Amino acid sequence: DLTRRERQLLALMARGLSNQQIADQVSIALPTVKFHITNILSKLQAGNRTEAVLTALKCGLVQSA
């Protein structure tokens, strides 16, 4: 189960934002973004951001733009 913050960051990842852009968008530090993304990848059993976003789209965790 993803936390609310993880879902928020996953949605921003799905929009193609970089880690720095995500940090700026939600006003958190870059290391915090990296921490959340690592957790997202682990929870979704994804090897990279693209795989995580594709999994999230298939599972309905985020909506396509």
Side-chain angles (χ1 to χ4, degrees):
D1 291 337
L2 297 175
T3 66
R4 184 200 280 187
R5 177 66 87 182
E6 289 167 348
R7 287 177 184 257
Q8 179 186 28
L9 270 58
L10 186 56
L12 295 172
M13 288 168 53
R15 290 180 36 206
L17 274 63
S18 69
N19 288 356
Q20 186 61 59
Q21 290 170 320
I22 292 170
D24 294 341
Q25 182 85 21
V26 296
S27 301
I28 59 176
L30 184 58
T32 305
V33 172
K34 291 178 181 181
F35 172 79
H36 285 303
I37 290 177
T38 298
N39 288 343
I40 291 166
L41 295 178
S42 176
K43 289 179 179 183
L44 296 180
Q45 298 179 347
N48 57 53
R49 293 168 66 105
T50 302
E51 188 178 346
V53 169
L54 288 173
T55 299
L57 288 168
K58 288 178 188 174
C59 295
L61 298 173
V62 296
Q63 297 182 7
S64 59

